[in-house]
């Protein structure tokens, strides 16, 4: 019951946060010193034509009216029309791209946790021995290698040099399967849709197309998780209750698994939760390198074209995800450590 | 791919007598047999030479990857009179080949390796054709290893797998390796010592090869199965097979046959021909819609069509008559079907509607036809709407069911060129009216995103930011007919990814390879990089008048560039060699006039500005204002996202400082900011280019040098520029009158004389620093055929195939 009240209160707090986000993103569109209409209209565009596009985009209205229109639309979950894209609705774009990015970031998160947590534990329990040095080297490379470089190198090696056709960076599926998927889309998450309709060939294809971008995207987060897991594990292992557990004669496995791991997971959970936001940011680069049609690739398009309808929608959604991830982290805290009270 | 299709529910057993059903089956059988009989008779009557357009896989693989022991379905698509199909699957078993009468078959590979499928079609009269121009490659892997298997594993690679006899022979290189205990003994994997013997069977009956790495010479045309058999310690053996196809003509392995795949870098803004004014959308519009006229393409040799830029032929128009300089009578072609058959065929009313509609919407590209149809009446916001209506309705009139009159407000010399531009595409009146219609100054969201034309390809789907797919229009009225089943334009924003995709053959044409990488890309095998001089002009403008009516701080013109000697000094100080050979790595030519080389009317004989420091200083010393003679401070605006312009800007700054003591402040800004700088003439110099809309000198000289197009504040509002395109505000009355004279004439020799006069003054006045014409570089796979270079840089998919 207390948890429920807490969640409701946190959700209500979301409203002022999100209004703040809309204000800031809206203001950015006004303060940048360039006129995006010129970019959409081109070099050969004259004043009359620019005025017409401004009118179509609603830019001829005073700022407070524009903001009011924006907020009213947003309250119906309508993100508006993109003036740089022939005034297509943002919601079309979101319905296509959001599931793709969710699929990619989930896979990346899976990679990061599955690889990061155990290596962190191994590293801590074998401190200053070869596995530890190795893990630390990998973790260090993870936080220092730029994602786009890693992405290009993975492609160059597995697709360019080793010639694995199924990694061809032509999107989420190879060209023949894309045709099937255009007519068989359900949720937009290609792997699930293919499984649900029993098409294992498409499932395999979609899964393989997630391997390289998923790994490239996961690498930084994995490194962070490893480092966090290692240090918090070391801290926990030095605590008295661990000594007591060992003195009781428990096997090292039980000590690590039952007593140390859960406590060491608390700070790591924070990192994992907050990484979701970082993964969305990383998706911008990964999706561009792998031609993966998600939100990140779209963000680049919107920014290059100075399309603030798109940029505002993206900022808004990213903020929403960030704030929700924080909330989830707080709730998981309570589960991991019963002493933490949610008030 | 229909592998995942759920099967339907079992149908209910019908009640009552079965005789009706039996009768129906018998009738259907009779009809089928009758149809086959008629078809066979028809074949016997005239025998056309067979040809195979492609061979592809219908089932059993992922892409071209298959497995040992699994059946793979094949289909050949062929034209002409065909009696039998002879299939050689490249594995050297089953007596080399299988003959079928159907164009489909299936095959199960027993060994792993890389195979080429060769199909030979035989006509009833004995004519044959093979698919050497588009071979199909299948890669078979052996996945039948259990966890406890210990076996020998042979690995081979053979290159080239598709070879051409040269001087009666061709050499291929074969490399083999082997391992033992592959599954359970990872340590053995690289241990060559376990291998006791290699045996290469070349498939041509010659002596076997016995070492791991070797070469072999073939002396006859054929499909050879090259099998490597390895023996490892203990006597276990394994084989792997690669097919080598030896032919007389150049042959290549085509990926994704049937689909022409382009890695693009730009997404359309709009798909409405009346609104869109950029190349990505223009290209789609060009292929889906048709216009009244088109430029002549001679496709007698379909693989190498030739474009005649200055010759026009009818497309939707079947013919036209120029009654007077302001009256064109156009006859509309009959029976041109719309892509959606329910809309029937193109009528004169559709043509009238299309052109009037473009004038009414009045945005981006409208001026191209507006300039002569209404003399900009439809564009002037001060003109009352009903007068604009009248001007629009008076300019294009369907006089009967098959004739349309163009009643020009002013004579114009390049009517055909502009009618070939995308804005003049013919749309269906009924289709547009069914989907929102047309209103003055208003866009139509449906037409922005959907297409229904008469062109060789129709829009299948557009996923913005991801891909556009076009499908063959089976009812296309023109000749030749489109050759590909589909055209797929995939947006690939990252250039490194583009390079990998074309190198591996997953795309046929890559748009996004930067000039700096072209010399490397040219060395890759399997690619054909086409390079042609473009009609884009790249120049450095100089603002000759920096005063701005209505701005109290800019009441008088203080620009040093109003002095011709200053402009000449800058032109002589400019380092042309560095730009062309270092910054552009040789992929450009010197620009010598305000119109590019290759455009009719071009005259490059006046340009004489080779880099010369002494001449530059001598020119600056003659400047009318003594203050300017010792150098001055100025600014150079450019869009910093363009690496070539950034590099040129840095060179200009260094050169002008060292040669002329001119201090240049670089303004590297975003593109819209750059355009803004130019529109308000608040800078000294600017780097910019001009891409042609249509192939006439008027499209360069008028917008870029006519004094009427000097950017000015819109009446009553000094904070808004009218966006004139002569951003430097170059003014020369002789040039103005030469351009006006040429524009109003349709006799080419007279126009050309005027253009020569204009060019002479523009160049001798040093109106710009004439920098370069970039080369248009098209990296394609070598299997791409039907390539036509169009200086307007929009692909014509009608001719392209592979």
């Amino acid at each position: 019951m207390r948890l429920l009240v807490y969640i409701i209160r946190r959700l209500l707090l979301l409203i002022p946060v999100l209004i703040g986000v809309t204000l800031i993103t809206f203001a950015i569109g006004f303060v940048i010193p360039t006129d995006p209409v010129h970019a959409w209209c081109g070099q050969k565009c004259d004043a009359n034509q620019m005025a017409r596009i401004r009118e179509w985009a609603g830019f001829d209205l005073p700022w407070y009216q524009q903001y009011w229109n924006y907020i009213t639309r947003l309250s119906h979950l309508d993100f508006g029309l993109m003036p740089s894209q022939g005034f297509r609705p943002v919601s079309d774009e979101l319905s296509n791209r959001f599931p793709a990015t969710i699929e990619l970031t989930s896979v990346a998160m899976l990679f990061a946790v599955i690889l990061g947590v155990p290596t962190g534990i191994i590293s801590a329990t074998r401190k200053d021995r070869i596995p530890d040095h190795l893990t630390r080297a990998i973790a260090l490379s993870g936080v220092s290698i730029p994602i786009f470089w890693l992405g290009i190198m993975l492609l160059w090696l597995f697709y360019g040099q080793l010639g694995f056709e199924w990694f061809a960076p032509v999107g989420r599926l190879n060209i023949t399967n894309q045709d099937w998927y255009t007519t068989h889309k359900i949720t937009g998450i290609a792997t699930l849709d293919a499984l649900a309709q029993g098409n294992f060939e498409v499932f395999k294809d979609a899964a393989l197309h997630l391997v390289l971008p998923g790994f490239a995207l996961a690498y930084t987060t994995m490194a962070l998780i490893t480092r966090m897991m290692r240090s918090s594990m070391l801290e926990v292992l030095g605590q008295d209750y661990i000594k007591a557990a060992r003195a009781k004669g428990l096997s090292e496995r039980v000590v690590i698994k039952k007593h140390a791991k859960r406590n060491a997971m608390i700070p790591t959970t924070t990192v994992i939760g907050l990484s979701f936001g970082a993964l969305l940011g990383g998706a911008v680069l990964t999706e561009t390198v792998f031609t993966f049609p998600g939100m990140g690739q779209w963000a680049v398009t919107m920014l290059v074209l100075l399309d603030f309808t798109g940029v505002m929608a993206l900022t808004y959604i990213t903020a929403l995800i960030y704030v929700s991830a924080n909330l989830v982290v707080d709730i998981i805290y309570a589960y991991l450590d019963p002493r933490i009270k949610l008030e | 791919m229909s592998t995942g299709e759920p099967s339907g529910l079992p149908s209910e057993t019908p009640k009552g007598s079965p005789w009706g059903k039996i009768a129906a089956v018998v009738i259907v059988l009779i009809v089928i047999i009758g149809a086959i009989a008629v078809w066979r008779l028809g074949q016997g009557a005239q025998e056309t030479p067979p040809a195979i357009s492609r061979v592809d896989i219908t089932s059993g693989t992922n892409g071209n990857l298959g497995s040992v022991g699994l059946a793979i379905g094949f289909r050949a698509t062929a034209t002409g009179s065909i009696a039998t199909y002879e299939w050689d699957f490249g594995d050297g078993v089953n007596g080399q080949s299988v003959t079928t009468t159907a164009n489909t078959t299936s095959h199960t590979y027993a060994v792993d390796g890389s195979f080429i499928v060769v199909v030979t079609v035989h006509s009833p009269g004995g004519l044959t054709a093979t698919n050497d121009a588009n071979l199909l490659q299948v890669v078979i892997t052996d996945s039948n290893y259990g966890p406890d298997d210990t076996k020998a594993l042979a690995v081979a690679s053979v290159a080239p797998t598709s070879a051409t006899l040269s001087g009666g022979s061709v050499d291929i290189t074969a490399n083999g390796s082997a391992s033992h205990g592959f599954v359970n003994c990872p340590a053995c994997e690289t241990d060559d010592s376990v291998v006791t013997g290699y045996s290469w069977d070349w498939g041509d009956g010659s002596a076997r090869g016995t070492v791991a790495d070797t070469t072999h010479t073939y002396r006859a045309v054929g499909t050879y199965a090259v099998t490597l058999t390895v023996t490892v310690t203990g006597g276990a053996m394994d084989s792997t097979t690669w097919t080598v196809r030896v032919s007389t003509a150049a042959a290549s392995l085509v990926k994704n046959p049937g689909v022409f795949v382009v890695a693009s870098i730009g997404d359309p803004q709009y798909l409405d021909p009346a609104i869109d004014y950029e190349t990505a959308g223009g290209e789609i519009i060009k292929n889906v819609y048709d216009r009244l006229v088109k430029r002549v393409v001679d496709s007698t040799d379909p693989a190498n069509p030739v474009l005649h830029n200055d010759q026009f032929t009818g497309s939707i128009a079947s013919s036209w008559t120029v009654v007077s300089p302001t009256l064109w009578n156009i006859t509309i072609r009959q029976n041109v079907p719309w892509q959606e058959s329910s809309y029937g065929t193109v009528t004169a009313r559709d043509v009238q509607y299309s052109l009037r509609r473009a004038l009414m919407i009045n945005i981006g590209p409208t001026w191209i036809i507006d300039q002569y149809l209404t003399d900009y009446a439809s564009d002037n916001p001060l003109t009352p709407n009903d007068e604009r209506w009248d001007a629009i309705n008076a300019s294009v009139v369907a006089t009967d069911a098959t004739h349309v009159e163009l009643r020009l407000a002013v004579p114009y010399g390049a009517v055909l060129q502009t009618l070939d531009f995308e804005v003049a595409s013919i749309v269906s009146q009924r289709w547009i009216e069914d989907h929102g219609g047309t209103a003055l100054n208003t866009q139509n969201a449906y037409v922005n995103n959907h297409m229904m034309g008469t062109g060789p390809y129709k829009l299948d789907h557009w996923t913005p930011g991801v891909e556009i797919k076009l499908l063959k229009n089976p009812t296309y009225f023109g000749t030749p007919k489109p050759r590909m089943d589909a055209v797929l334009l995939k947006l690939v924003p990252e250039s490194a990814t583009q390079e990998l995709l074309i190198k591996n053959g997953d795309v046929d044409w890559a748009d996004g390879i930067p000039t700096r990488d072209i010399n490397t890309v040219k060395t890759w095998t399997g690619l054909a990089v086409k390079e042609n001089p473009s009609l884009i002009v790249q120049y450095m403008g100089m603002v000759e008048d920096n005063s701005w009516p209505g701005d109290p701080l800019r009441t008088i013109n203080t620009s040093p560039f109003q002095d011709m000697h200053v402009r000449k000094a800058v032109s002589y100080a400019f380092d042309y060699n560095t730009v062309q050979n270092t910054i552009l790595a040789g992929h450009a030519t010197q620009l010598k006039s305000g119109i590019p080389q290759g455009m009719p009317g071009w005259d490059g004989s006046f340009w004489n500005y080779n880099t010369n420091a002494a001449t530059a200083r001598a020119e600056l010393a003659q400047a009318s204002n003594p203050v300017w003679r010792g150098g001055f401070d100025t600014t150079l605006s450019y869009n910093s996202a363009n690496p070539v312009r950034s590099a040129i800007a840095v060179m200009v700054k260094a050169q002008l400082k060292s040669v002329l003591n001119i201090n240049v402040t670089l303004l590297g800004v975003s593109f819209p900011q750059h355009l803004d700088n130019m529109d308000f003439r608040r800078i000294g110099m600017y780097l910019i280019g001009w891409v042609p809309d249509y192939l006439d000198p008027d499209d360069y000289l008028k917008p870029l040098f006519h004094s009427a197009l000097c950017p000015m504040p819109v009446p009553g509002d000094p904070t808004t520029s009218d966006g004139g395109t002569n951003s430097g505000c170059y003014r020369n009355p002789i040039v103005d009158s030469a351009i006006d004279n040429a524009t109003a004439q349709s006799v080419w020799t007279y126009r050309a004389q005027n253009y020569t006069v204009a060019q002479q003054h523009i160049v001798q006045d040093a109106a710009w620093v004439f920098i370069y014409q970039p080369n248009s570089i098209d990296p394609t796979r070598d299997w791409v055929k039907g390539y036509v270079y169009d200086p307007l840089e929009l692909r014509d998919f009608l001719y392209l195939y592979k």
Side-chain angles (χ1 to χ4, degrees):
Chain A
M1 191 58 208
R2 182 181 266 173
L3 183 66
L4 194 69
V5 172
Y6 175 77
I7 292 174
I8 291 171
R9 221 179 63 204
R10 283 288 300 265
L11 285 176
L12 285 176
L13 273 174
L14 267 180
I15 297 170
V17 171
L18 291 177
I19 290 180
V21 169
T22 61
L23 268 174
I24 292 171
T25 49
F26 189 78
I28 290 171
F30 273 87
V31 294
I32 57 150
T34 48
D35 182 0
V37 174
H38 223 157
W40 311 329
C41 197
Q43 183 188 348
K44 299 177 181 181
C45 204
D46 67 21
N48 293 341
Q49 297 174 346
M50 277 168 62
R52 198 153 308 127
I53 288 188
R54 239 177 235 119
E55 196 187 309
W56 290 353
F59 290 176
D60 53 337
L61 302 172
W63 70 267
Y64 49 86
Q65 211 165 337
Q66 287 189 46
Y67 183 67
W68 177 250
N69 289 348
Y70 170 54
I71 290 287
T72 350
R73 278 200 314 264
L74 204 58
S75 62
H76 305 113
L77 280 180
D78 173 4
F79 290 98
L81 308 172
M82 295 173 287
S84 73
Q85 305 281 303
F87 295 90
R88 275 191 307 282
V90 169
S91 44
D92 281 9
E93 208 79 18
L94 289 181
S95 64
N96 277 328
R97 293 175 179 274
F98 194 62
T101 297
I102 290 296
E103 188 178 28
L104 178 62
T105 41
S106 307
V107 166
M109 197 41 114
L110 207 69
F111 280 166
V113 173
I114 287 177
L115 298 171
V117 171
T119 42
I121 295 174
I122 291 166
S123 181
T125 51
R126 289 169 181 68
K127 186 167 175 282
D128 291 333
R129 281 188 283 170
I130 289 171
D132 185 28
H133 293 313
L134 210 66
T135 318
R136 279 157 65 191
I138 293 173
L140 186 67
S141 75
V143 288
S144 36
I145 291 178
I147 291 183
F148 69 89
W149 185 84
L150 180 66
I152 291 175
M153 285 302 115
L154 287 172
L155 264 188
W156 172 80
L157 181 66
F158 289 101
Y159 171 66
Q161 295 299 306
L162 300 176
F164 290 117
E165 292 292 326
W166 52 73
F167 289 144
V170 288
R172 303 170 73 184
L173 293 164
N174 70 30
I175 284 165
T176 30
N177 288 335
Q178 271 165 14
D179 278 352
W180 180 83
Y181 192 58
T182 4
T183 52
H184 289 76
K185 189 189 271 180
I186 306 170
T187 61
I189 294 177
T191 43
L192 292 186
D193 290 353
L195 268 188
Q197 295 171 73
N199 191 337
F200 293 101
E201 190 196 315
V202 172
F203 171 75
K204 186 178 140 202
D205 188 20
L208 285 168
H209 273 96
L210 284 167
V211 172
L212 292 188
F215 184 76
L217 186 54
Y219 203 61
T220 315
T221 310
M222 183 202 80
L224 281 175
I225 291 175
T226 307
R227 283 162 68 104
M228 192 44 110
M229 197 64 205
R230 178 178 180 274
S231 60
S232 59
M233 195 74 184
L234 283 175
E235 201 185 310
V236 169
L237 286 176
Q239 304 250 334
D240 286 346
Y241 78 93
I242 296 290
K243 283 185 194 143
R246 282 185 179 139
K248 249 167 57 179
L250 293 178
S251 74
E252 191 64 19
R253 207 171 137 248
V254 174
V255 170
I256 303 279
K257 257 189 117 171
K258 294 272 175 201
H259 296 270
K261 191 177 151 195
R262 186 157 162 174
N263 280 323
M265 273 308 282
I266 294 176
T268 313
T269 308
T270 319
V271 172
I272 293 174
L274 295 182
S275 299
F276 232 100
L279 284 180
L280 287 177
V284 171
L285 300 169
T286 318
E287 289 178 0
T288 305
V289 168
F290 288 94
T291 325
F292 198 87
M295 303 272 283
Q297 204 196 42
W298 183 50
V300 175
T301 317
M302 290 294 102
L303 283 168
V304 168
L305 294 173
L306 296 172
D307 191 322
F308 279 90
T309 319
V311 173
M312 285 192 295
L314 278 163
T315 324
Y316 191 78
I317 287 162
T318 313
L320 200 66
I321 290 172
Y322 232 98
V323 176
S324 321
N326 263 335
L327 178 62
V328 172
V329 168
D330 287 350
I331 293 165
I332 294 177
Y333 263 16
Y335 161 76
L336 287 173
D337 185 351
R339 287 173 306 172
I340 295 177
K341 297 238 179 354
L342 299 176
E343 282 167 5
Chain B
M1 293 287 133
S2 59
T3 37
E5 206 71 317
S7 55
L9 292 167
S11 56
E12 287 178 43
T13 320
K15 292 177 187 138
S17 157
W19 290 110
K21 204 171 179 183
I22 291 170
V25 169
V26 169
I27 290 168
V28 168
L29 278 177
I30 290 170
V31 168
I32 292 172
I33 292 166
I36 292 174
V38 169
W39 177 63
R40 296 294 303 207
L41 284 172
Q43 262 196 332
Q46 50 171 20
E47 183 168 308
T48 48
I52 302 184
S53 60
R54 62 175 212 281
V55 177
D56 43 17
I57 299 172
T58 53
S59 63
T61 63
N62 177 13
N64 66 340
L65 290 176
S67 298
V68 166
L70 288 179
I72 300 173
F74 295 95
R75 179 182 60 209
T77 308
T79 54
S81 313
I82 295 156
T84 56
Y85 294 81
E86 185 188 341
W87 304 80
D88 184 335
F89 300 101
D91 51 359
V93 292
N94 295 343
Q96 283 287 348
S97 64
V98 176
T99 301
T100 63
T101 50
N103 70 332
T104 54
T105 185
S106 74
H107 183 70
T108 306
Y109 287 94
V111 287
D112 58 326
S114 164
F115 303 95
I116 293 171
V117 180
V118 178
V119 182
T120 309
V121 286
H122 300 267
S123 77
L127 298 173
T128 63
T130 61
N131 62 324
D132 266 324
N134 36 34
L135 294 169
L136 175 69
Q137 186 186 33
V138 193
V139 177
I140 302 296
T141 52
D142 190 349
S143 51
N144 299 325
Y145 297 122
D148 297 323
D149 281 358
T150 58
K151 64 170 290 197
L153 185 81
V155 179
S157 92
V158 177
T161 49
S162 171
T164 310
L165 280 182
S166 153
S169 71
V170 62
D171 288 347
I172 63 127
T173 310
N175 302 96
S177 66
S179 60
H180 181 240
F182 170 71
V183 180
N184 273 355
C185 179
C188 310
E189 220 178 318
T190 52
D191 186 0
D192 279 346
S193 66
V194 298
V195 182
T196 55
Y198 288 91
S199 171
W200 290 96
D201 180 343
W202 304 111
D204 60 352
S206 61
R208 288 172 175 245
T210 52
V211 289
D213 301 327
T214 180
T215 60
H216 183 70
T217 306
Y218 287 100
R219 297 185 190 285
V221 168
T223 309
Y224 301 97
V226 178
T227 303
L228 168 66
T229 306
V230 293
T231 316
V232 296
T233 319
M237 293 166 85
D238 185 43
S239 297
T240 184
T241 300
W242 279 57
T243 316
V244 171
R245 171 68 180 166
V246 177
S247 55
T248 45
S252 58
L253 293 158
V254 175
K255 272 195 187 175
N256 302 311
V259 186
F260 196 90
V261 189
V262 176
S264 68
I265 48 170
D267 214 17
Q269 261 186 316
Y270 306 88
L271 294 179
D272 187 338
I275 301 184
D276 192 69
Y277 196 24
E278 39 78 40
T279 51
E283 180 167 282
I284 305 300
I285 292 165
K286 171 176 174 156
N287 285 282
V288 175
Y289 291 104
D290 282 307
R291 283 142 296 281
L292 287 171
V293 298
K294 61 182 181 186
R295 282 167 289 153
V296 171
V297 175
D298 176 0
S299 59
T300 319
D301 173 6
N304 299 296
V306 182
L307 170 69
H308 298 283
N309 264 323
D310 50 351
Q311 292 173 29
F312 288 84
T313 179
S315 180
I316 296 290
S318 59
S319 65
W320 60 87
T321 325
V322 185
V323 182
S324 80
T326 55
L327 182 60
W328 286 57
N329 194 338
I330 293 168
T331 309
I332 307 303
R333 189 182 299 276
Q334 295 301 289
N335 303 319
V336 174
W338 292 107
Q339 287 168 354
E340 281 178 30
S341 57
S342 58
Y343 287 100
T345 57
V346 178
T347 63
R349 289 198 70 83
D350 287 322
V351 174
Q352 170 187 293
Y353 183 82
S354 304
L355 298 180
R356 286 184 183 179
R357 176 176 184 270
L359 294 171
M360 279 167 67
I361 292 178
N362 186 25
I363 191 71
T366 312
W367 68 270
I368 290 171
I369 52 173
D370 195 19
Q371 57 181 333
Y372 59 86
L373 283 177
T374 73
D375 194 17
Y376 298 105
S378 65
D379 188 42
N380 190 343
L382 301 176
T383 313
N385 276 353
D386 45 354
E387 282 179 32
R388 292 160 75 184
W389 273 108
D390 290 346
I392 292 168
N393 290 340
S395 62
V396 187
V397 180
T399 51
D400 59 37
T402 53
H403 290 89
V404 172
E405 280 185 4
L406 300 185
R407 299 172 182 168
L408 280 56
V410 288
Y412 189 61
V415 171
L416 288 172
Q417 283 84 344
T418 57
L419 290 180
D420 182 33
F421 191 80
E422 284 66 41
V423 73
S425 294
I426 304 306
V427 295
S428 158
Q429 173 168 11
R430 203 146 56 83
W431 182 74
I432 302 254
E433 290 299 325
D434 281 355
H435 298 102
T438 306
L440 210 59
N441 296 342
T442 309
Q443 55 168 338
N444 178 327
Y446 187 85
V447 187
N448 278 343
N449 294 285
H450 300 81
M451 306 180 95
M452 207 285 287
T454 52
Y457 287 91
K458 55 183 179 180
L459 181 68
D460 179 55
H461 68 266
W462 175 25
T463 313
V466 181
E467 64 182 31
I468 299 175
K469 190 167 188 181
L470 305 178
L471 294 180
K472 178 192 280 186
N473 171 14
T475 61
Y476 179 59
F477 70 96
T479 45
K481 302 293 179 198
R483 288 167 168 266
M484 304 303 294
D485 289 339
V487 175
L488 180 68
L489 294 110
K490 274 216 84 73
L491 193 66
V492 181
E494 170 58 43
S495 61
T497 311
Q498 290 231 352
E499 287 172 13
L500 285 171
L501 282 170
I502 197 166
K503 193 174 186 182
N504 277 25
D506 283 307
V507 301
D508 303 311
W509 190 321
D511 287 343
I513 296 179
T515 309
R516 62 172 185 273
D517 292 355
I518 285 298
N519 290 345
T520 312
V521 169
K522 276 187 171 173
T523 63
W524 295 347
T525 51
L527 264 69
V529 179
K530 316 279 204 303
E531 189 161 352
N532 298 282
S534 77
L535 295 182
I536 296 169
V537 295
Q538 294 285 349
Y539 60 96
M540 183 166 79
M542 291 164 277
V543 174
E544 300 178 19
D545 183 351
N546 60 9
S547 69
W548 190 256
D551 184 345
L553 300 174
R554 292 164 66 188
T555 50
I556 51 163
N557 181 10
T558 59
S559 173
F561 300 109
Q562 63 187 276
D563 188 316
M564 184 177 75
H565 294 292
V566 175
R567 300 197 299 266
K568 283 192 170 175
V570 173
S571 297
Y572 281 114
F574 194 92
D575 187 348
Y576 301 95
N577 187 37
T578 298
V579 173
Q580 275 174 54
N581 296 323
T582 310
I583 298 176
L584 293 160
H587 300 287
T589 46
Q590 175 65 49
L591 177 67
K592 292 185 170 176
S593 157
I595 59 176
Q597 189 168 354
M599 180 68 85
W602 172 77
D603 192 336
S605 61
F606 307 110
W607 188 85
N608 188 25
Y609 293 107
N610 291 306
T611 315
N612 187 329
T615 319
R617 288 191 198 100
E619 285 289 347
L620 194 63
Q622 295 175 55
S624 56
N625 187 335
V627 177
W628 299 332
R629 293 178 193 156
F632 49 87
D633 290 353
T634 189
T635 53
L636 171 60
S637 178
Y638 59 97
N639 53 324
S640 52
N642 182 326
V644 172
R645 289 198 188 137
S646 302
I648 294 175
V650 171
M651 180 278 289
V652 168
K653 184 181 170 81
Q655 279 294 105
L656 294 196
K657 178 69 192 168
S658 69
V659 178
L660 300 171
N661 194 33
I662 295 175
N663 295 309
V664 182
T665 305
L666 297 185
L667 305 174
V669 292
S670 70
F671 191 55
Q673 182 68 55
H674 179 49
L675 294 177
D676 233 37
N677 284 343
M678 289 163 56
D679 278 354
F680 287 90
R681 295 187 271 118
R682 54 166 93 97
I683 42 171
M685 303 179 287
Y686 54 93
L687 290 168
I688 194 74
W690 187 262
V691 182
D693 300 294
Y694 52 95
L695 292 172
D696 192 82
D698 188 54
D699 188 33
Y700 295 81
L701 295 183
K702 188 163 185 188
L704 297 172
F705 298 102
H706 199 289
S707 65
L709 282 143
C710 167
M712 282 294 173
V714 297
D717 181 10
T719 60
T720 307
S721 164
D722 66 8
T725 39
N726 175 9
S727 314
C729 214
Y730 170 75
R731 291 189 182 107
N732 185 334
I734 302 171
V735 172
D736 283 358
S737 69
I739 293 170
D740 289 340
N741 288 342
T743 303
Q745 281 292 327
S746 53
V747 179
W748 174 250
T749 47
Y750 181 78
R751 296 182 69 203
Q753 284 166 12
N754 278 288
Y755 286 137
T756 304
V757 172
Q759 290 177 81
Q760 178 180 6
H761 283 87
I762 286 163
V763 175
Q764 287 175 355
D765 288 351
W768 293 345
V769 176
F770 300 89
I771 311 182
Y772 67 96
Q773 279 174 247
N775 286 358
S776 171
I777 303 169
D778 295 323
T780 65
R781 290 296 307 192
D782 57 2
W783 57 57
V784 169
K785 299 187 190 74
Y787 171 92
V788 185
Y789 174 67
D790 181 351
L792 294 176
E793 319 246 342
L794 304 179
R795 276 173 284 247
D796 207 339
F797 293 119
L798 173 61
Y799 303 101
L800 282 170
Y801 65 103
K802 62 179 183 177

